[in-house]
Amino acid sequence: MKKQHNIFADLHTHSTASDGLLTPAQLMESAREKGLAVLGITDHDTVAGLAEARHAAEKNGVRLVPGIELSCGWKGRDTSVHVLGLYIDENASDLQKLLNEQREQRYHRALKMVNQLAVIGLDVAELRQRFEQSPEKVLGRPHIARYLQERGYVKDFQGAFERYLSRGKPGYVAKDHVLPEIGIDVIHAAGGIAVIAHPGLTSDWADVWKCISGLPWDGIETYYSEHTPSDVKRFAELASQHNLLSTGGSDYHGEYGKHADRLGNYGLTQELYYDLVNQCAEKGINIA
Ligand code: AMP
Ligand code: ZN
Ligand code: FE
Ligand code: FE
């Protein structure tokens, strides 16, 4: 998408609770500086940043939308489906249980990836130590990519994926998959709405849509920062055909790589945000 003006609500961002660079409080402060009235924090597979975010939201006069981005998929299949949960109660027990299991799996996976990199001769002792000291964090490939960049093994973040971390490369370890329908159920049990994240980034979207179109989705992330104008058009149409909401957000992770400069420039205008609120009300979901 082109940079937009008058963005009122950004319903997709990441903090240090997952792989973002800003703490939840810093993210809220930046949201205020960028003129956002509503900010959704949707860390990957964790709600650990939301308590701090809530505090900071109040201080900065920004409305927090408590959220999450669950990495879902199918065993043996390359494609993943990211499921956004918005307006969730982060203390819901099913959600907490799923996230604890996921975090543990990610911790073991991260150490496996580090070991594989050590086997091919990279000095990853410091990274291993960082990981071992933070079992409470949701560890992922971006943490490794940044380390490889810091150490000069690759010239940039992207290069770390190309050389070491993508499927088939020496550092890669597959994740255990949570089925999209499980993700949706858990989000619903937590009182939230379940939204298909960034469908335009899914390379085999037509196949994926066949697999997931029958699931009880509430919405599609139509207004996503990396969607082209034609993506926005086709997903807005798909949403209205299937009586789904359209949400929107930047996927801001802090000022690095492709995520830089996104905050405040992508998401929903005030009009689109209130369309969302009103459509939720019509469906009996109260998010106001
Ligand atoms: P993980 O959940 O540990 O598998 O890491 C997935 C995250 O890594 C994604 O959310 C992206 O932020 C990032 N990522 C995955 N593939 C690439 C890639 N080819 N280039 C850059 N970032 C990527
Ligand atoms: Zn991320
Ligand atoms: Fe995503
Ligand atoms: Fe994201």
Side-chain angles (χ1 to χ4, degrees), residues 113-125 128:
M113 291 195 278
V114 165
N115 287 340
Q116 289 181 191
L117 294 172
V119 166
I120 59 161
L122 273 56
D123 177 7
V124 286
R128 181 184 290 125

Side-chain angles (χ1 to χ4, degrees), residues 166-195:
S166 296
R167 184 182 280 261
K169 302 294 174 195
Y172 180 79
V173 175
K175 250 187 335 228
D176 284 349
H177 284 304
V178 174
L179 294 172
E181 49 269 46
I182 303 283
I184 297 173
D185 277 358
V186 164
I187 288 165
H188 284 161
I193 60 172
V195 175

Side-chain angles (χ1 to χ4, degrees), residues 196 199 205 209 220 233-244:
I196 305 167
W205 169 254
W209 176 243
I220 298 184
K233 189 166 173 283
R234 74 189 164 116
F235 293 120
E237 281 168 11
L238 192 67
S240 66
Q241 268 168 25
H242 291 266
N243 192 26
L244 295 171

Side-chain angles (χ1 to χ4, degrees), residues 101-116:
E101 289 165 6
Q102 287 267 87
R103 183 174 54 230
E104 227 170 277
Q105 281 169 11
R106 274 179 172 277
Y107 175 73
H108 294 296
R109 168 182 181 248
L111 290 176
K112 254 194 215 171
M113 291 195 278
V114 165
N115 287 340
Q116 289 181 191

Side-chain angles (χ1 to χ4, degrees), residues 12 14 44 69-70 82-84 197-198 201 221 224 251 253:
H12 187 161
H14 296 270
H44 299 284
E69 181 172 21
L70 293 174
H82 286 183
V83 180
L84 289 172
H198 45 67
L201 299 191
E221 192 181 31
Y224 178 70
D251 213 356
H253 283 66

Side-chain angles (χ1 to χ4, degrees), residues 76-211:
R77 235 181 114 163
D78 242 349
T79 304
S80 62
V81 176
H82 286 183
V83 180
L84 289 172
L86 300 174
Y87 307 94
I88 55 168
D89 167 7
E90 71 259 34
N91 297 312
S93 59
D94 290 0
L95 178 66
Q96 292 277 347
K97 185 164 167 278
L98 178 75
L99 297 180
N100 285 334
E101 289 165 6
Q102 287 267 87
R103 183 174 54 230
E104 227 170 277
Q105 281 169 11
R106 274 179 172 277
Y107 175 73
H108 294 296
R109 168 182 181 248
L111 290 176
K112 254 194 215 171
M113 291 195 278
V114 165
N115 287 340
Q116 289 181 191
L117 294 172
V119 166
I120 59 161
L122 273 56
D123 177 7
V124 286
E126 194 191 323
L127 181 65
R128 181 184 290 125
Q129 200 179 19
R130 277 190 216 163
F131 282 178
E132 281 170 351
Q133 284 167 356
S134 41
E136 79 291 353
K137 283 200 73 172
V138 173
L139 301 174
R141 287 180 289 165
H143 298 98
I144 304 179
R146 280 195 217 120
Y147 176 87
L148 295 176
Q149 187 184 356
E150 261 168 53
R151 278 305 182 97
Y153 284 119
V154 288
K155 69 174 191 313
D156 56 19
F157 183 82
Q158 190 65 35
F161 281 87
E162 284 160 17
R163 204 152 149 206
Y164 297 111
L165 300 173
S166 296
R167 184 182 280 261
K169 302 294 174 195
Y172 180 79
V173 175
K175 250 187 335 228
D176 284 349
H177 284 304
V178 174
L179 294 172
E181 49 269 46
I182 303 283
I184 297 173
D185 277 358
V186 164
I187 288 165
H188 284 161
I193 60 172
V195 175
I196 305 167
H198 45 67
L201 299 191
T202 309
S203 54
D204 51 348
W205 169 254
D207 285 342
V208 168
W209 176 243
K210 268 188 219 148
C211 294

